[in-house]
Amino acid sequence: DAKTTQPNSMESNEEEPVHLPCNHSTISGTDYIHWYRQLPSQGPEYVIHGLTSNVNNRMASLAIAEDRKSSTLILHRATLRDAAVYYCILRDTTDSWGKLQFGAGTQVVVTP
Amino acid sequence: DTAVSQTPKYLVTQMGNDKSIKCEQNLGHDTMYWYKQDSKKFLKIMFSYNNKELIINETVPNRFSPKSPDKAHLNLHINSLELGDSAVYFCASSQDQSTGGYNSPLHFGNGTRLTVT
């Protein structure tokens, strides 16, 4: 399975944007890029996913490099509620059951 | 109206005991999963069921036996509990990849914290 690399932690001030990088240099053409986050004492929560084009939803934006070897999750205005571990995951669409393989993720700390 | 619910939330037991964790989803999904999150916070898939059939078994010891009585339930039974089984266990569900698309997101419960003493 293709792997992802993320920084261990990032800090941000409240109401400022947060850019979370993810490297996936061995990504294959059938891999989608998924992001999940895990708030303290909760299960992981889906954030966003994409293949080649940038994607936006109500939670975040996903910017994907042209060569697809890296991507960035953008939280436009961080709130205290966004403090969580963010996971960047490659999901192989040739795997019929689409299992998610989680890495260590990035711990996001938001300060008031 | 919780989408994926697990019971119990906390489970403390002694080595050698047998225990079960229950999971139910009301999202109408076809596929359910069990994940284990250890003390280092790594989340690893254990099992997946699709329409009550086992489809993923990630070399988990056979002391762990999942059971799916119907599409909305996936229970996890653990025999002869060991200290190393202490972890948080998460249940999740998703739409079948063939019907909901290959990128159907997983919906997770809030976990069951198992402590074996």
Side-chain angles (χ1 to χ4, degrees):
Chain A
D1 292 328
K3 295 286 187 277
T4 63
T5 304
Q6 300 177 250
N8 289 337
S9 63
M10 292 192 75
E11 276 195 43
S12 174
N13 294 321
E14 204 176 4
E15 298 193 5
E16 289 189 357
V18 183
H19 291 239
L20 300 175
C22 181
N23 287 322
H24 28 79
S25 57
T26 59
I27 191 170
S28 73
T30 54
D31 286 333
Y32 273 74
I33 302 156
H34 284 245
W35 285 82
Y36 281 72
R37 72 178 185 180
Q38 187 174 18
L39 298 157
S41 301
Q42 292 190 27
E45 173 187 32
Y46 167 80
V47 178
I48 201 166
H49 76 272
L51 182 64
T52 55
S53 305
N54 295 344
V55 185
N56 300 300
N57 67 20
R58 63 173 180 80
M59 289 181 74
S61 295
L62 177 59
I64 301 172
E66 202 169 324
D67 63 6
R68 300 208 327 125
K69 292 181 188 283
S70 65
S71 60
T72 303
L73 181 72
I74 303 163
L75 308 178
H76 294 286
R77 287 179 74 231
T79 67
L80 296 178
R81 200 198 170 273
D82 291 321
V85 178
Y86 287 76
Y87 298 97
C88 170
I89 303 166
L90 300 183
R91 199 169 185 192
D92 184 359
T93 54
T94 62
D95 174 357
S96 301
W97 308 113
K99 65 186 179 187
L100 293 180
Q101 306 271 30
F102 287 80
T106 297
Q107 175 72 62
V108 170
V109 176
V110 181
T111 50
Chain B
D1 42 332
T2 307
V4 180
S5 58
Q6 301 178 223
T7 53
K9 189 173 171 65
Y10 299 98
L11 186 52
V12 181
T13 188
Q14 290 184 323
M15 282 175 57
N17 285 347
D18 303 338
K19 289 293 178 187
S20 292
I21 307 172
K22 295 187 175 182
C23 178
E24 175 181 4
Q25 54 95 4
N26 62 6
L27 297 167
H29 288 163
D30 309 276
T31 307
M32 295 185 73
Y33 311 79
W34 277 110
Y35 278 79
K36 178 181 179 181
Q37 187 165 40
D38 61 25
S39 56
K40 294 182 180 173
K41 303 294 186 184
F42 285 106
L43 266 160
K44 293 187 71 173
I45 188 165
M46 300 173 68
F47 299 104
S48 178
Y49 269 72
N50 175 260
N51 284 316
K52 302 193 298 175
E53 277 194 42
L54 180 67
I55 53 171
I56 295 174
N57 182 343
E58 291 287 306
T59 59
V60 177
N62 56 17
R63 297 183 296 104
F64 290 78
S65 52
K67 286 202 170 38
S68 182
D70 55 57
K71 287 196 314 183
H73 296 84
L74 180 62
N75 304 323
L76 183 64
H77 188 76
I78 315 170
N79 287 329
S80 304
L81 278 155
E82 300 177 357
L83 293 176
D85 297 332
S86 295
V88 182
Y89 292 84
F90 289 99
C91 177
S93 72
S94 71
Q95 192 63 285
D96 187 311
Q97 302 304 301
S98 63
T99 57
Y102 290 115
N103 292 291
S104 298
L106 271 63
H107 296 253
F108 286 82
N110 282 329
T112 295
R113 181 174 294 278
L114 171 65
T115 303
V116 182
T117 61

